[in-house]
Amino acid sequence: MRKLFPVLAAVTAIVFATTPFLIANAPYESTMLLIQKIFYYHVPSWVAMYCGLGVCAVGSVLYLFKDSRAGDRYAEAAAELIVVFAGNGLISGPLWARKAWGVWWQWDARLTIALLVWLIFVAYLMVRKYGGPGSEKLAAAVGIFGAAVSPFLYFSVTIWRTIHPPTSVVPDIIENPKGMAAPLLVSMLAFVLLFVLLLNLRVRLAERQDALDDLYLTLED
Amino acid sequence: MIRRFAIAFTSLLLLAAPVFAQPPAGQSEFVPVNGIPENEKLPAAPLLVVAYAVFLVLMVGYVWTVWRRLSKVEAEMHALEQRTMKGGR
């Protein structure tokens, strides 16, 4: 993977470089007009966050039940990226809402659960940093719990009546291209590539931290 | 008695109304439009620019923190290896 890293970085940079042109040329939405263009970075940011939830859940399960250190490294890296991408979504959302709804924030089901998921993963990172010895196992349980909340986040707009646009907006754009599908799909690809790139970078850091810990243990012996 | 009952019943109805009220349904599809009023473009632009700028700052900031932590670990590891080599001699 280390050899592929520069190639992946180059591909991600190229795909990201095309997104501003595609977004600029995308048609305006009839009611939201210019502000709707936040959507092209807002939705992919949550897609990357969901990728993080999947990786964190699988890594945490592997660490808890199989004692896999690699699983723990991936879970920790993914948790950090969940905080970053969900943080971006929680900032870009209110910027859109201010224009579309007239308010920065609404305590409706989708927004509240999104904030809750972000807080769970902030808690995950705090447990790892300040929990002391053995906190990795506790953090893994928090990671699984956080991932378990994700279906409620995804289906919140269909289960409860909220003012947030439903998830059907995305398949509608993809199935009925109106000039909005290309910028959305390319942005999604760019964010997923960026997620994979950052995940690898963060896992590399975790590997080196583990190697350093092992070296300290060897010296103590 | 009937008057009291009527007041209680009306109060109950008034209290129940906001409880059963539902928010308006969200927009279910995006419809493109060709003609855009000029005054509609400007107020949204700063919000849009801030949204994209925040993303850029977040990503650059995150990569910088990972890079800094990685450099710190590598430096610590190098120092430890040097100490081990000196101890071995």
Side-chain angles (χ1 to χ4, degrees), chain B residues 13-31:
Chain B
L13 273 180
L14 287 171
L15 279 170
V19 174
F20 292 107
Q22 289 284 336
Q27 195 173 340
S28 61
E29 63 165 351
F30 288 167
V31 183

Side-chain angles (χ1 to χ4, degrees), chain A:
Chain A
M1 188 65 206
R2 212 166 294 164
K3 282 179 186 172
L4 279 176
F5 192 83
V7 180
L8 185 64
V11 171
T12 308
I14 292 165
V15 177
F16 253 107
T18 60
T19 58
F21 300 104
L22 289 169
I23 293 166
N25 290 317
Y28 284 81
E29 203 278 325
S30 63
T31 53
M32 289 180 272
L33 301 169
L34 183 65
I35 200 70
Q36 185 265 340
K37 295 200 176 202
I38 283 181
F39 171 83
Y40 299 111
Y41 267 34
H42 176 75
V43 172
S45 194
W46 288 109
V47 169
M49 195 278 308
Y50 278 111
C51 292
L53 282 175
V55 173
C56 188
V58 172
S60 297
V61 166
L62 285 175
Y63 182 60
L64 268 186
F65 301 107
K66 300 269 181 193
D67 215 22
S68 160
R69 281 183 82 178
D72 183 47
R73 285 194 282 265
Y74 273 93
E76 186 190 12
E80 245 183 51
L81 291 171
I82 290 167
V83 171
V84 172
F85 283 109
N88 182 55
L90 285 169
I91 294 169
S92 60
L95 287 165
W96 170 83
R98 182 68 185 89
K99 178 85 174 103
W101 299 340
V103 287
W104 295 102
W105 186 265
Q106 272 286 313
W107 290 104
D108 83 352
R110 168 55 74 91
L111 275 67
T112 308
I113 298 174
L115 181 65
L116 195 70
V117 168
W118 184 78
L119 287 171
I120 288 170
F121 283 95
V122 169
Y124 175 102
L125 296 177
M126 289 181 84
V127 164
R128 286 196 77 108
K129 191 165 171 62
Y130 304 109
S135 61
E136 292 86 359
K137 294 270 179 192
L138 185 62
V142 174
I144 294 168
F145 178 74
V149 176
S150 64
F152 293 97
L153 174 62
Y154 185 79
F155 292 111
S156 58
V157 282
T158 43
I159 298 170
W160 297 286
R161 285 187 71 181
T162 77
I163 56 169
H164 190 280
T167 44
S168 60
V169 163
V170 175
D172 176 61
I173 284 177
I174 296 164
E175 284 165 21
N176 307 301
K178 301 159 184 166
M180 294 173 176
L184 179 64
L185 290 172
V186 174
S187 293
M188 278 184 180
L189 176 69
F191 272 76
V192 171
L193 286 172
L194 182 66
F195 170 78
V196 175
L197 191 76
L198 293 177
L199 185 74
N200 274 289
L201 188 67
R202 183 58 186 81
V203 167
R204 167 90 183 132
L205 170 63
E207 279 170 357
R208 298 305 287 162
Q209 279 170 335
D210 281 354
L212 183 66
D213 290 344
D214 288 345
L215 204 61
Y216 271 118
L217 284 173
T218 313
L219 279 176
E220 273 178 23
D221 293 341

Side-chain angles (χ1 to χ4, degrees), chain A residues 34 99, chain B residues 37-47:
Chain A
L34 183 65
K99 178 85 174 103
Chain B
E38 276 304 310
N39 61 343
E40 271 295 329
K41 285 185 184 178
L42 287 169
L47 295 169

